[in-house]
Amino acid sequence: MEAVLYVSHGSRVEETKEEAVSYIHQVHQEVATPLFEICFLELAEPTMDQGIKRLVEKGATDITIAPVLLLSAGHYYHDIPDEIQAGVALYPNIRFKYGKPLGIQKRITRVLVDRIQEVASLQEDLHLVLVGRGSRNPETKASIEQIASWLGEEVGGAYVDVCYLAACSPTFEEGTRRAVLSNKRTIVIPYLWFTGKLIQTMNKRVESLQQEGVPITMTHYLGDHPIMIQALADRVHEAFVSEEWDQQMRVR
């Protein structure tokens, strides 16, 4: 029996887990395999090994691992593969496949435009600040910069500033400081999927600047926008027809 294991990041914030679970249920309506489970990499349960075990106990013979990740970084290249290898060792008769994270997709910039338009008019003279999570993997910074470039095209050629919450520079504090100096209305755009500690931190910074009289607003995160739902569903469908895990491991 074919099954999907959705692997989300995890958070200590209960609302984050609830949002992820609700979103994945919407995604799976577009996938419609008879069997699926949702698990988390850290800070929440069930864990990935628990998710695999549940699917096997329910009769799964083919398990597609669907990473609920925006970009390719440490979790995609190391943490999830390690867990899949452990699953292969425990269940040698199960066929595993491994999907891709969303990666950089031009259609996702449409989500960002919609989020901006929820709080501002594109006719205004805006200073846009795209905020990525950040990673030591150099792909992450290159990806966020490409997304910023596409976003600039979508909003009529406007310059989009970029900053990061961790591991990359410029930092979020530096990015918002530059925004203050711009003397324009600033729109902070989190390139994050769900709420959580990082969103809370960003909100506090933006609210502090607002209290100082700075014209700054933060958009909603990516969330369960219809494009986000379809994008992950498409990745799952792609994974269904990909090579089995042991073949992928030889490529790696």
Side-chain angles (χ1 to χ4, degrees):
M1 185 183 297
E2 192 169 54
V4 181
L5 181 62
Y6 295 92
V7 185
S8 192
H9 187 276
S11 170
R12 292 187 181 90
V13 179
E14 185 61 27
E15 185 183 355
T16 308
K17 180 178 178 180
E18 292 171 357
E19 284 186 353
V21 169
S22 174
Y23 163 80
I24 291 167
H25 275 278
Q26 293 178 76
V27 170
H28 200 70
Q29 290 178 8
E30 304 297 322
V31 175
T33 56
L35 193 56
F36 76 101
E37 287 285 340
I38 299 167
C39 67
F40 300 90
L41 284 167
E42 57 187 15
L43 306 174
E45 291 189 341
T47 60
M48 198 170 158
D49 61 324
Q50 291 170 334
I52 292 172
K53 184 173 184 287
R54 290 181 183 183
L55 289 174
V56 172
E57 289 174 346
K58 291 178 180 178
T61 56
D62 299 73
I63 299 177
T64 294
I65 307 296
V68 187
L69 302 172
L70 287 173
L71 300 172
S72 303
H75 286 317
Y76 177 69
Y77 288 120
H78 304 292
D79 300 332
I80 298 178
D82 288 348
E83 292 291 341
I84 298 175
Q85 274 305 100
V88 169
L90 279 173
Y91 309 107
N93 295 324
I94 302 296
R95 290 182 290 272
F96 288 88
K97 293 183 178 181
Y98 187 23
K100 296 178 181 179
L102 292 197
I104 54 171
Q105 300 186 36
K106 201 164 188 179
R107 62 178 164 175
I108 296 178
T109 60
R110 186 65 243 174
V111 181
L112 301 178
V113 173
D114 288 349
R115 295 307 189 211
I116 294 167
Q117 291 180 312
E118 289 168 358
V119 300
S121 167
L122 294 179
Q123 306 307 312
E124 297 179 65
D125 190 14
L126 301 174
H127 182 96
L128 302 178
V129 182
L130 182 67
V131 186
R133 178 187 293 272
S135 166
R136 291 183 178 85
N137 189 311
E139 285 184 47
T140 299
K141 192 165 185 178
S143 296
I144 293 294
E145 289 172 354
Q146 177 61 74
I147 293 161
S149 175
W150 284 337
L151 178 58
E153 294 171 5
E154 287 282 339
V155 296
Y159 174 72
V160 181
D161 209 350
V162 172
C163 60
Y164 303 89
L165 294 161
C168 297
S169 61
T171 65
F172 178 54
E173 185 173 346
E174 290 169 339
T176 51
R177 194 180 303 134
R178 285 205 300 265
V180 171
L181 298 174
S182 74
N183 293 318
K184 298 179 180 180
R185 183 181 177 193
T186 296
I187 307 297
V188 174
I189 311 154
Y191 199 75
L192 300 173
W193 216 327
F194 308 113
T195 192
K197 293 288 186 182
L198 295 178
I199 291 293
Q200 292 173 355
T201 298
M202 294 174 69
N203 272 323
K204 287 180 181 177
R205 171 67 173 163
V206 169
E207 288 169 2
S208 175
L209 290 170
Q210 287 172 338
Q211 290 170 4
E212 295 173 14
V214 177
I216 185 169
T217 306
M218 190 166 90
T219 72
H220 195 62
Y221 39 91
L222 296 165
D224 63 352
H225 189 286
I227 290 175
M228 300 301 294
I229 292 170
Q230 191 59 53
L232 183 57
D234 289 347
R235 284 296 192 223
V236 176
H237 287 127
E238 289 168 10
F240 283 161
V241 296
S242 67
E243 295 179 334
E244 289 184 27
W245 172 253
D246 61 341
Q247 294 172 314
Q248 290 179 328
M249 288 302 293
R250 285 197 288 273
V251 171
R252 288 170 187 271

